[in-house]
Amino acid sequence: MSASTHLSARRPSAGDSRIVVLVTLPIILVLFAVGVASADLPAGVTRLSAADAERSGSIVRLNRQSVGGSTLVEVKPPTDGMTLLAISSDGRVVALADQVGERSGTLTVAAADGSQLRVELPGLLAATFAVDGSSLAVIDGSGALWRVDAAAGRRELIAEGPFLGSPLIGADGSLVMLAVPSVEAPYRSTLVRIAPDSGLATVLTAEALVYAAFPLDDGDLAVVAHRPTGTVVDRVGGESERRLADLGAGAVNVTVAGDGRIAFEVAGEGIFVIELSGSVPRGLGAGTRPCFAADGMSVLVSRGAHRVALSLDCSQLAEVDGLAGFAGSAGCLP
């Protein structure tokens, strides 16, 4: 007789029955509570309260601090493997990926109060919050574009793409994206505007290899593109284009503030900023992957494991460890 048969043959005593009831009842109550809390959520979506996230060891903590006229958000996830994808314009909600790329992944939308929403998606490449924080534009692992409700996790496929880069969301709900031949081989990247209802794409510039686009305060776009001579930044609006800067062959990780200031990295030389169109680049010191604050008055750079906020006169304003970004800094996270 096997051990499992011998154990199953034992009759529980009255005392055993009381123990089973006492042990099982809390489990039933917990499952019932989770079922009630999740009843209004779509399949593949989980909502955790701050208390639930704390108990499960999955809480995401947000530390917010003022840097000039902007908000710097330090994000402390429960594990080192998570990637920060986006920060809402008020700095109170962040979006993280458990893994970037792949064919399946979990988007975690974590709030400053400790609560979070987990949304299963077919991979994750990038995400951006709408200005009001009610939804996110998300690019999945195959390059398809989704709209995700930030409160309930409902997912809606907008366009199959493939796309790359962080989406820009306009006031009318349209999305500016980089259309590519494939995620694996983006040898061409065209800047397009996607209609949110139909998913139809309109080409915005003739540039064949666009690296990124940033919204300008007057409604135009600053478009970072590759040319045979190096990296250029153009202003694109309506049917007109004009050159803002020719950064040369060594410029990478270019970012543009709403007022037209440009920051970029030169490998081995550090961070440079151009404050006025046509002016000479000025060094800000060591660092990689610069990102402007929403007001354009400070720049966040990576220095090893640290994120350092610098004023435009090179003064250090703040330093944090790990994941961090400025609230509402569209299309740019270090």
Side-chain angles (χ1 to χ4, degrees):
M1 181 179 291
S2 68
S4 59
T5 303
H6 174 74
L7 290 173
S8 64
R10 178 179 178 272
R11 289 179 173 272
S13 66
D16 290 336
S17 299
R18 285 194 296 271
I19 292 172
V20 170
V21 170
L22 290 173
V23 170
T24 306
L25 184 58
I27 298 173
I28 293 173
L29 292 175
V30 169
L31 292 175
F32 175 76
V34 171
V36 171
S38 302
D40 60 337
L41 299 177
V45 179
T46 304
R47 179 183 289 129
L48 294 179
S49 67
D52 291 337
E54 187 75 72
R55 280 193 294 268
S56 65
S58 60
I59 195 164
V60 178
R61 303 189 188 279
L62 309 185
N63 298 327
R64 303 163 69 245
Q65 60 177 297
S66 295
V67 175
S70 300
T71 301
L72 178 63
V73 183
E74 181 183 13
V75 183
K76 293 187 173 294
T79 64
D80 293 335
M82 301 188 81
T83 299
L84 178 61
L85 298 179
I87 302 175
S88 66
S89 58
D90 62 4
R92 296 184 179 277
V93 188
V94 301
L96 301 110
D98 62 339
Q99 57 184 354
V100 173
E102 306 300 328
R103 296 302 177 187
S104 65
T106 301
L107 175 71
T108 298
V109 182
D113 64 5
S115 63
Q116 59 185 243
L117 194 72
R118 298 178 184 170
V119 183
E120 299 298 326
L121 286 163
L124 284 164
L125 293 177
T128 302
F129 280 98
V131 174
D132 63 3
S134 63
S135 64
L136 299 99
V138 177
I139 301 178
D140 72 16
S142 65
L145 174 64
W146 297 76
R147 181 187 294 110
V148 177
D149 187 302
R154 288 186 296 273
R155 295 146 292 184
E156 176 188 359
L157 180 64
I158 298 176
E160 293 185 353
F163 304 104
L164 280 180
S166 296
L168 299 180
I169 305 177
D172 60 353
S174 64
L175 298 111
V176 174
M177 315 283 301
L178 297 180
V180 296
S182 73
V183 169
E184 294 78 12
Y187 57 87
R188 185 178 69 252
S189 52
T190 306
L191 189 67
V192 298
R193 188 182 300 276
I194 306 296
D197 297 326
S198 65
L200 294 177
T202 302
V203 177
L204 299 179
T205 175
E207 296 287 354
L209 186 55
V210 177
Y211 294 138
F214 299 89
L216 296 173
D217 293 339
D218 60 4
D220 287 352
L221 293 171
V223 178
V224 183
H226 171 78
R227 286 291 182 88
T229 56
T231 301
V232 299
V233 182
D234 291 336
R235 176 187 287 270
V236 176
E239 297 181 358
S240 64
E241 292 187 26
R242 70 180 179 88
R243 181 64 39 82
L244 292 179
D246 188 336
L247 304 180
V252 296
N253 295 324
V254 181
T255 180
V256 185
D259 61 4
R261 288 186 175 96
I262 300 169
F264 59 96
E265 172 190 347
V266 176
E269 298 183 29
I271 305 299
F272 294 82
V273 64
I274 298 175
E275 295 197 52
L276 295 172
S277 180
S279 64
V280 176
R282 182 168 52 82
L284 289 183
T288 62
R289 303 188 63 82
C291 290
F292 274 112
D295 64 359
M297 300 306 294
S298 52
V299 180
L300 187 67
V301 304
S302 297
R303 289 179 176 171
H306 305 288
R307 305 293 181 265
V308 179
L310 303 171
S311 69
L312 298 182
D313 65 3
C314 303
S315 301
Q316 182 170 313
L317 303 174
E319 180 177 317
V320 296
D321 295 329
L323 305 181
F326 281 117
S329 185
C332 181
L333 281 175

